[in-house]
Amino acid sequence: MKADETPTREHVRAKQHFTARVTADAADGWPVQAGRYRLVINRGCPWAHRVVLARQLLGLGRAVSLAETDPVRELIDGDFHWVFSEETGSPGGVDPVLGIHALREAYLAADPAYTGGVSVPALVDVRTGGLVSNDYDGLLTDFATEWRPLHADDAPDLYPEALREEIAQVSEELHLDVNDGVYKAGFAPSQESYDGAVARLFARLDRIEERLSGRRYLVGDHLTVADLRLWPTLIRFDPVYHGLFKCNVRRIRDYPALWGYTRDLYQTPGFAETVNFAQIKRSYYYGIPGINPTRIVPAGPDESELLTPHDRALLGGTPFRTRVA
Ligand SMILES: N[C@@H](CCC(=O)N[C@@H](CS)C(=O)NCC(=O)O)C(=O)O
């Protein structure tokens, strides 16, 4: 669906086309290397947000530079595209490192015949300007594991081997009903499809509420990639999904555990600095006129409430699991 079209069919998430992995052994031709890659995101996108969070928490900021596109896509040749802009740190609308205006130029540098979608997050090879991967899950996993030699000394283990099975199971449920569930509701082409998506979303949120009532984090006693997948959706929920996507059965603020968890992570070092509410709201409310034709961006909610005290520490656990050497 294009940004300015009214939904006419079910929301189906496109598969990523560029799935090369960046690994210590460079099996796909892409080695882990400081200064070699540029991560392109925008602050609105929850799929990019999880990768940005990993980069931040693992101390990969110096090894992998960050480029932000404008939160709103620009119409180019009949399609809406992510572009660099003055407002998001690119003088003259050109990314200072990649030297391009539209992200699609990096896709075309990697594959001149490419005609598919252009999405963030995108990892770009600085040497050639070509896209390496737009696979948000591969990027997250590789940052957490393959990039270890370049992690900060005190970086947490976000993907402990002993918990991987449980992380996969929790993440799969989250993906279908929550992360993508809000989109299925927001872009529903019919009452029936909206009803189904919203029912599944809130049934799943109710179950996560139960789970998080007895434990501080989703899996184990510390933050893992499972939390990095859930939190970007929760932080956008009350400002965007509740209103624009009509996910208004309950707010996250109405769930004691989910709201405590959202605040707990917001107040954990590394999280708040990755959030820009003005850009999040603009990217959705202004950037998708197909479902918000006036493009008016709402004023609320009051995000300072995220700074209010929570008692999640009483549940035990600590944010970061320091890696066992
Ligand atoms: N790469 C995936 C997930 C990432 C994603 O959906 N990113 C959004 C921003 S939140 C995007 O770039 N959409 C642009 C598009 O698909 O045209 C996809 O293509 O669906």
Side-chain angles (χ1 to χ4, degrees):
M1 194 192 94
K2 291 188 180 157
D4 59 351
E5 282 173 5
T6 306
T8 51
R9 55 193 156 79
E10 297 295 330
H11 164 75
V12 180
R13 187 155 291 283
K15 272 261 165 265
Q16 288 84 1
H17 183 76
F18 296 86
T19 54
R21 306 294 291 264
V22 177
T23 55
D25 66 3
D28 287 355
W30 301 108
V32 167
Q33 198 179 326
R36 174 79 187 260
Y37 307 98
R38 191 152 172 83
L39 178 63
V40 181
I41 63 146
N42 72 69
R43 294 288 174 191
C45 180
W47 314 98
H49 198 169
R50 45 178 85 176
V51 182
V52 175
L53 281 167
R55 171 182 177 271
Q56 183 80 22
L57 299 177
L58 296 168
L60 287 172
R62 269 193 302 185
V64 184
S65 67
L66 190 70
E68 282 181 44
T69 71
D70 196 87
V72 175
R73 286 176 286 180
E74 182 181 303
L75 190 60
I76 302 174
D77 298 339
D79 274 320
F80 288 90
H81 281 283
W82 298 120
V83 293
F84 297 101
S85 70
E86 295 265 358
E87 294 86 276
T88 46
S90 295
V94 173
D95 178 68
V97 172
L98 300 175
I100 57 176
H101 173 57
L103 176 58
R104 74 164 179 167
E105 293 169 51
Y107 279 64
L108 291 172
D111 177 0
Y114 183 67
T115 54
V118 172
S119 60
V120 291
L123 193 73
V124 179
D125 177 16
V126 170
R127 290 190 198 172
T128 63
L131 179 74
V132 174
S133 168
N134 64 344
D135 174 5
Y136 55 84
D137 253 336
L139 292 172
L140 179 63
T141 308
D142 290 344
F143 273 5
T145 56
E146 299 289 333
W147 285 78
R148 265 184 191 164
L150 296 178
H151 285 180
D153 289 341
D154 57 353
D157 185 357
L158 295 172
Y159 196 38
E161 278 186 39
L163 300 178
R164 287 185 187 177
E165 216 171 295
E166 194 179 347
I167 288 173
Q169 189 201 329
V170 171
S171 301
E172 176 68 13
E173 294 171 355
L174 282 176
H175 178 77
L176 292 175
D177 296 336
V178 179
N179 301 134
D180 208 26
V182 293
Y183 283 86
K184 288 180 194 144
F187 293 123
S190 68
Q191 185 69 50
E192 192 184 11
S193 98
Y194 164 82
D195 290 344
V198 156
R200 285 192 299 278
L201 166 65
F202 282 94
R204 180 68 61 193
L205 286 178
D206 292 350
R207 288 180 54 186
I208 304 172
E209 170 72 10
E210 260 173 60
R211 184 179 182 98
L212 289 174
S213 297
R215 52 192 311 154
R216 191 167 179 190
Y217 303 107
L218 278 174
V219 179
D221 296 323
H222 314 278
L223 287 165
T224 65
V225 291
D227 300 292
L228 270 46
R229 292 178 175 127
L230 174 60
W231 193 75
T233 296
L234 296 183
I235 202 75
R236 286 164 178 73
F237 201 95
D238 291 356
V240 173
Y241 305 142
H242 181 270
L244 185 70
F245 284 1
K246 308 184 187 86
C247 300
N248 63 356
V249 177
R250 281 177 282 285
R251 303 171 306 172
I252 296 305
R253 281 163 170 73
D254 301 323
Y255 284 104
L258 280 171
W259 181 229
Y261 169 89
T262 304
R263 284 177 292 151
D264 186 6
L265 270 58
Y266 190 78
Q267 294 170 32
T268 298
F271 280 78
E273 47 265 60
T274 63
V275 181
N276 182 325
F277 283 112
Q279 287 195 20
I280 287 175
K281 289 202 287 191
R282 187 168 152 76
S283 76
Y284 283 91
Y285 280 98
Y286 189 89
I288 318 179
I291 53 173
N292 185 31
T294 64
R295 309 187 96 168
I296 289 170
V297 180
D302 177 3
E303 301 303 353
S304 69
E305 290 172 20
L306 282 159
L307 295 171
T308 57
H310 61 82
D311 53 10
R312 301 283 300 167
L314 296 174
L315 293 167
T318 54
F320 301 121
R321 174 184 196 269
T322 310
R323 196 162 60 239
V324 186

